């Protein structure tokens, strides 16, 4: 039998020829089916039922089966199938639940042969037995499958799927008695046609309806299914349990699936919604379709390979009322457009890079630049000669390993844990954070904190030591001009000589330098006299009017340019020496100075000059305090935050945002803030810094963020006796009817706040436990555990 | 009950009723103005269902647990939830989908969602839902000014008004042009995901309004302070409906015979007919031509199923109260005169019927919704599936009854009124299974829910349990939502292709 069918369907000596072509139908098609001679195709839809001859250049309408004055619903076809052995025999499934057979051999105009009105609901699918002339199978929305013998008036047997509706039925091509059916609830069932009482096998194939299935034409055990969940799965049915061997993820629900003849791993799919294209997939390569036909303008409803042994012709019908013949060689191949490079970061910072071999070869010819301590490792994929994509598969994979330690993020963790974000005055927070950053060797960050403190804090609170330090670093171009304290640093500071040159490229530099030497002297005086030396003050105030311009620019430069150079680390310990300097006198001096400086400014220059005669510290106070409100800098600070965020240090951005609070918040748009917060929280959680991340969430002002810790706040409790979850109330178990949460102190049931030790899990009323642990460090339950209450 | 302080209702006399007055009572009232209003007599979540009916079922453990859970997540148990809790299984999927569309990730900002809900509920003058969402709107940070009416909202939201109107009353008129107009690039355009979210919300609240009126949900009586935007709680049930012993008076007024006689045999007859249809089916003897004309017949027939005795037949000027109420609600809508028009009466327009098989929820609607607004598809799918298959195999006092046929008739009849036709359904069954009073009720609840009265609710299926009638309401609600969704989604699909 099998052999015979093979013979009859074998490709005739003259191979098929044709072009990619289409013809317009009068109405949307629902399904198509090909005659076994591959020369005719039938198109069926709600209001169309025609046979077209496929000719060399075009489709020619041969027969309209929709006859009669008043078209009945029986002609509204959901599916059509052409018998693969008898070219005169067709069957249609009508939307009203009728199964109709058609005999083209009838002499009259009306070719309708038999009418089966047994289904109560729409029939979704009909299928002829591949080798038996009279056996027809139907699957309907009412959940039943019926098998008809065309020689009889009624169905031979009825199969109940015990489910809502049958979406597809397909006879196995190889096993005479077997057919597969797919269901709306995601199941696939395998039936033996002789045993209508129950199915042979059932398994859940998809999440949601399985719209279609197709048996592999050669491989006995393979069944492809397509579902609403946008997947095509290939199952191996020969094993005890159906095994998923391949899975293709498409972009829309899969309405039809058809194996490609003569190509063992190829199948064609089309979608029911949104996506109009037909794809041919190689199931071993499930991410990129092997070919794509883009002719249709509306969803494709029916596909059929024109001849069971010719892989190059595909026919399709569509909702856009066209019938198409696609030639495989005309298909567009997405692979060609795909980008054959891939890049990925590993868990520990390793970097993997895959690309076409040719590309990598060219690359590796180049010498890696000196000083690169990372070691690329090259892998080359072993080529499988059986693979059809040999040309593309020859890619190379290189892995760059992270140098151990260099990728360490310990600074991040440390910083996150040690930063203080709230609960203290701004100045203290800044100081603290600056200290933290400095100790971790992140000088630039430390610097930023100090500057923020200067900008936003009133001078009274500022200890001068830090200011000194800040000025010394913040205004790098001013280093040599610094007061006496900083001169010691000059040797190191000159490391940034190039910058110095740039900033002092103007003609004034000479005088400035001269002045600074003068400054040096007076400053030393100053230290002795502690600012009471008014004449000296005057003297310098006059001279340095010009120099001040430079200083004024400094904050600007400092913010934006800081990251471009690295400050010598040695500078810091030196600055620390000054920590001991008693701040008191200098503060006094500041106050004494400020009015004076403002006066000199008015006289000498309109540029808000600074008086560096005593120390820059005092000047900067005066400057910011009396003339420039913090608002003046907010744009700058915002730029700084953005800069940090862009550098990848979102930690800094968020920390500053939180610490400064209202001072800068309004200047940065809500979305950016939210973005920063989200990234930072994400990072924190990756490092398991739950407490910090929660603190950040709490302190954030963005609503989208602060609601994060409102989510999943439910605590599920199990009964301590029967270990079952307590569903209704938290204190009494429904099952064993015992009170679960007793207070260890008063032995009553706790109905409100229950606090317990995470070590020994004893607990009780919050108040009681608190009181108990004030007096004793042991668990009140007497278990001997040393509980802690924090 | 009286929430007091309706926005524009300054002129409303203190004695004014919060209940509309039905025709019959008006006649009485004209004679004797003094018996204006007694406050509603029912307590509990519904005006139609005695409180103890709802509370009774509370004994079941599963249900209590579920309600406790719901209470603990949302902090309240509104009357809708209480009434729906007669069908716990369904309630779960209902609440899940509602929670998702209102509170979870979605394309629309939270206050917008509630405002859209208000707009949808306003189409049916459902003050219950409006009040509920006015609160939510403000809680989620909505701009209070918007509550002064459509004139105060951004143009973008205002643009939604057109499809809100069409969806609520004549969804078959929605075309891809409407969708195009909304998504057309411009200052106030909607993105497709946003639009789908809005459509889901609109249809959900239109349908929910049907449920609220159909089940006579009472206004919430929470102690919250009125925020001036709340409407006077309006029940559309006349005082006489609410009186428990209203039958005698009404009977004398309307001349309707509400005899209990024969009501038992009514049930028996229905079951008999179901059995008959079942057998007839097996014979399979209906001619195809007849089948095709039955749908037309049914749609045409629904023309004559008119809810006769409601206030709409009275000119509004008759009662000042009506006017105030209308103006209160109408600030959220435009074109208040636009209402349901029988599908079959379309006359010269000749819109084609919607062939259910060509655009089904399972195949098409789901995929589109889920694509544009992820996961809502699954939730809605589960809800539709649930409501369609929900059964206890009981009918009134009888047990072990297969009610599939009845449920399908209800579902399809609703779709039929919206012009959706199932090829594989024999619309003759509707006639056989649904008695006239039930048809009146169905049509009122789905097409103009605001006109539902307790009398309508009482007059059909008199031996059935209240929980069964709530089940009917659930079916009607979901069928309506699906119908509206199908039309809207079809238009979106057409726009996409």
């Amino acid at each position: 039998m099998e052999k015979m069918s093979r013979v009859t369907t074998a490709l005739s000596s003259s191979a098929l020829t044709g072009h990619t072509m289409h013809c317009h139908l009068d109405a949307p098609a629902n399904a198509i089916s090909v005659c076994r001679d591959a020369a005719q195709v039938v198109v069926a839809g709600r209001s169309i039922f025609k046979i077209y001859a496929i000719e060399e250049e075009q489709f020619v309408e041969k027969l309209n089966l929709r006859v009669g004055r008043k078209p009945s619903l029986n002609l509204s076809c959901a599916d059509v199938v052409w018998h693969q052995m008898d070219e005169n025999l067709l069957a249609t499934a009508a939307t009203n639940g009728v199964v109709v057979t058609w005999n083209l051999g009838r002499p009259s105009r009306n070719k309708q042969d038999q009418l089966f009105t047994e289904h109560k609901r729409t029939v979704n699918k009909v299928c002829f037995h591949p080798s038996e002339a009279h056996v027809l199978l139907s699957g309907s929305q009412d959940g039943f499958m019926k098998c008809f013998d065309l020689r009889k008036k009624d169905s031979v047997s009825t199969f109940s799927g015990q489910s809502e509706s049958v979406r597809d039925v397909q006879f196995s091509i190889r096993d005479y008695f077997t057919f597969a059916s797919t269901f709306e609830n995601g199941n696939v069932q395998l039936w033996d046609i002789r045993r209508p009482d129950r199915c042979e096998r059932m398994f859940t194939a998809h999440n949601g309806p399985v719209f279609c299935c197709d048996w592999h034409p050669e491989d006995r055990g393979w069944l492809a299914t397509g579902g609403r969940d946008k997947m095509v799965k290939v199952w191996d049915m020969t094993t005890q349990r159906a095994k998923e061997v391949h899975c293709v993820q498409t972009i829309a629900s899969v309405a039809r699936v058809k194996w490609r003849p003569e190509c063992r791993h190829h199948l064609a799919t089309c979608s029911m919604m949104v996506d109009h294209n037909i794809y041919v997939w190689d199931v071993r390569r499930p991410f990129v379709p092997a070919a794509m036909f883009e002719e249709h303008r509306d969803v494709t409803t029916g596909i059929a390979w024109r001849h069971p042994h010719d892989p190059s012709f595909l026919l399709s019908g569509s909702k856009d009322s066209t019938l198409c013949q696609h030639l495989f060689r005309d298909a567009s191949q997405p692979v060609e457009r795909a980008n054959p490079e891939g890049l990925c970061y590993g868990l520990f910072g390793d970097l993997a890079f895959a690309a076409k071999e040719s590309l990598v070869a060219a690359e590796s010819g180049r010498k890696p630049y000196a000083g690169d301590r990372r070691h690329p490792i090259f892998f080359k994929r072993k080529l499988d000669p059986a693979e059809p994509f040999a040309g593309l598969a020859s890619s190379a994979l290189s892995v760059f390993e992270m140098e151990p330690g260099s990728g360490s993020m310990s600074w991040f963790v440390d910083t996150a844990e040690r930063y203080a974000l709230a609960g203290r005055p701004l100045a203290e927070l800044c100081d603290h954070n600056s200290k933290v950053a400095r100790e971790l060797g992140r000088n630039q960050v430390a610097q930023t904190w100090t500057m923020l403190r200067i900008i936003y804090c009133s001078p009274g609170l500022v200890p001068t030591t830090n200011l000194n330090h800040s000025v010394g670093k913040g205004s790098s171009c001013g280093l040599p001009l610094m007061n006496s304290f900083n001169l010691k640093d000059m040797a190191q500071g000159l490391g940034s000589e190039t910058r110095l040159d740039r900033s002092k490229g103007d003609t004034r530099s000479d005088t400035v330098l001269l002045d600074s030497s003068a400054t040096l002297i007076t400053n030393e005086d100053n230290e002795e006299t502690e600012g009471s030396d008014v004449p000296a003050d005057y003297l310098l105030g006059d001279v340095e009017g010009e120099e001040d311009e430079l200083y004024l620019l400094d904050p600007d430069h400092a913010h934006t340019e800081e990251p471009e150079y690295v400050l010598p680390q040695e500078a810091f310990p030196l600055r620390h020496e000054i920590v001991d300097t008693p701040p008191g006198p200098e503060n006094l001096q500041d106050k004494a100075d400020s009015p004076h400086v403002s006066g000199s400014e008015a006289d000498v220059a309109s540029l808000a000059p600074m008086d560096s005669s005593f120390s820059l510290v005092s000047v900067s106070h005066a400057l910011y305090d009396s003339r420039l409100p913090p608002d003046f800098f907010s744009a700058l600070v915002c730029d700084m935050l953005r800069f940090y965020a862009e550098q990848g240090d979102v930690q800094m951005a968020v920390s500053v945002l939180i610490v400064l609070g209202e001072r800068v918040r309004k200047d940065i748009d809500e979305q950016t803030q939210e973005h920063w917060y989200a990234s930072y929280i994400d990072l924190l959680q990756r490092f398991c810094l739950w407490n910090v991340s929660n603190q950040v969430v709490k302190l954030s002002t963005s609503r989208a963020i602060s609601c994060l810790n409102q989510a999943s706040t439910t605590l599920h409790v199990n009964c301590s006796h029967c270990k079952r979850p307590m569903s209704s109330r938290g204190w009494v178990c429904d099952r064993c009817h015992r009170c679960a949460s007793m207070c260890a102190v008063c032995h009553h049931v706790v109905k409100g706040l229950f606090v317990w030790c995470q070590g020994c899990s004893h607990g009780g009323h919050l108040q009681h436990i608190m009181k108990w642990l004030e007096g004793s460090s042991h668990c009140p339950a007497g278990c001997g555990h040393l509980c802690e209450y924090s | 009950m009286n929430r007091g302080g309706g926005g524009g209702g300054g002129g409303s006399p203190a004695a004014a009723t919060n209940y509309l007055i039905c025709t019959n009572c008006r006649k009485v009232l004209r004679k004797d103005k003094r018996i204006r209003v007694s406050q509603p007599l029912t307590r509990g979540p519904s005006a139609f269902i005695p409180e103890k009916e709802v509370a009774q079922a509370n004994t079941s453990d599963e249900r209590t647990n579920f309600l406790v859970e719901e209470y603990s997540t949302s902090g309240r148990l509104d009357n809708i939830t209480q009434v729906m809790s007669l069908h716990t299984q369904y309630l779960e999927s209902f609440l899940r989908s509602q929670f998702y569309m209102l509170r979870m990730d979605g394309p629309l900002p939270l206050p917008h969602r509630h405002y859209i809900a208000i707009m949808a509920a306003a189409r049916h003058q459902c003050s219950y839902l409006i009040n509920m969402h006015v609160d939510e709107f403000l809680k989620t940070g909505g701009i209070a000014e918007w509550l002064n009416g459509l004139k105060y909202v951004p143009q973008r939201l205002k643009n939604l008004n057109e499809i809100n109107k069409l969806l609520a009353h004549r969804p078959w008129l929605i075309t891809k042009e409407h969708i195009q107009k909304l998504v057309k690039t411009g200052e106030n355009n909607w993105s497709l995901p946003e639009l789908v979210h809005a459509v889901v919300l609109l249809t959900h609240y239109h349908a929910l309004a049907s449920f609220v009126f159909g089940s006579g949900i009472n206004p919430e009586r929470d102690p919250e302070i009125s925020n001036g935007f709340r409407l006077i709680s309006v029940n559309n049930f006349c005082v006489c409906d609410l009186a428990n012993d209203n039958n005698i008076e009404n009977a004398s007024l309307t001349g309707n015979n509400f005899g209990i006689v024969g009501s038992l045999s009514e049930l028996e007859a229905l079951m008999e007919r179901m059995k008959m249809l079942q057998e007839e089916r097996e014979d399979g003897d209906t001619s195809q031509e007849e089948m095709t004309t039955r749908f037309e017949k049914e749609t045409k027939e629904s023309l004559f199923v008119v809810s006769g005795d409601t206030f709409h037949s009275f000119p509004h000027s008759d009662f000042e109260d009506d006017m105030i109420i209308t103006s209160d609600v109408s600030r959220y809508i435009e074109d208040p005169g636009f209402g349901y028009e029988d599908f079959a009466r379309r006359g010269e327009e000749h819109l084609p019927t919607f062939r259910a098989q060509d655009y089904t929820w399972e195949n098409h609607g789901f995929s589109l919704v889920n694509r544009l607004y992820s996961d809502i598809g699954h939730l809605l799918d589960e809800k539709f599936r649930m409501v369609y298959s929900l059964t206890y195999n009981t009918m009134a006092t009888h047990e072990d009854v297969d009610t599939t046929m009845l449920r399908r008739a209800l579902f399809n009849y609703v779709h039929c009124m919206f012009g959706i036709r199932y090829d594989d359904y024999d619309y003759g069954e509707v006639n056989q299974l649904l008695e006239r009073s039930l048809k009146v009720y169905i049509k009122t609840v789905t097409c103009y829910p605001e006109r539902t009265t307790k009398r309508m609710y009482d007059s059909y299926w008199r031996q059935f349990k209240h929980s069964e009638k709530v089940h009917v309401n659930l079916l009607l609600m979901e069928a309506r939502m699906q119908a509206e969704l199908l039309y809207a989604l079809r238009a979106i699909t057409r726009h996409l292709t």
Side-chain angles (χ1 to χ4, degrees), chain A residues 46 95 120 122 167 228, chain B residues 357-358 363 381 423-424:
Chain A
R46 172 168 290 283
T95 49
K120 292 191 187 104
T122 300
R167 301 310 301 244
R228 195 173 69 180
Chain B
Q357 270 84 357
D358 286 354
N363 294 358
D381 197 39
D423 286 344
D424 55 358

Side-chain angles (χ1 to χ4, degrees), chain B residues 256-312:
Chain B
N256 274 358
N257 192 4
F258 275 160
I260 308 294
V261 200
S263 63
L264 267 178
S265 58
E266 214 173 65
L267 170 65
E268 247 87 80
L270 176 59
M271 297 197 51
E272 194 61 37
R273 278 198 297 277
M274 283 174 68
K275 206 183 268 174
M276 226 172 62
L277 281 170
Q278 200 96 45
E279 281 157 8
E280 195 181 289
R281 277 286 204 69
E282 268 138 39
D283 296 345
D285 253 0
T286 22
S287 84
Q288 286 305 312
E289 286 67 33
E290 202 187 322
M291 291 277 277
T292 54
T293 51
R294 276 183 189 169
F295 172 77
E296 313 290 330
K297 245 199 227 155
E298 203 52 55
T299 49
K300 290 230 172 66
E301 199 157 294
S302 72
L303 274 179
F304 308 109
V305 180
V306 178
S307 45
D309 58 346
T310 42
F311 73 98
H312 74 282

Side-chain angles (χ1 to χ4, degrees), chain B residues 263-279 393-403 405-406 432-435 461 463-464 468:
Chain B
S263 63
L264 267 178
S265 58
E266 214 173 65
L267 170 65
E268 247 87 80
L270 176 59
M271 297 197 51
E272 194 61 37
R273 278 198 297 277
M274 283 174 68
K275 206 183 268 174
M276 226 172 62
L277 281 170
Q278 200 96 45
E279 281 157 8
N393 294 317
T394 57
M395 269 175 76
T397 47
H398 297 256
E399 288 185 359
D400 282 333
V401 194
D402 182 8
T403 55
M405 197 181 269
L406 207 52
Q432 302 262 339
L433 297 176
L434 310 183
E435 60 189 55
W461 283 7
Q463 313 76 40
F464 281 67
E468 286 170 316

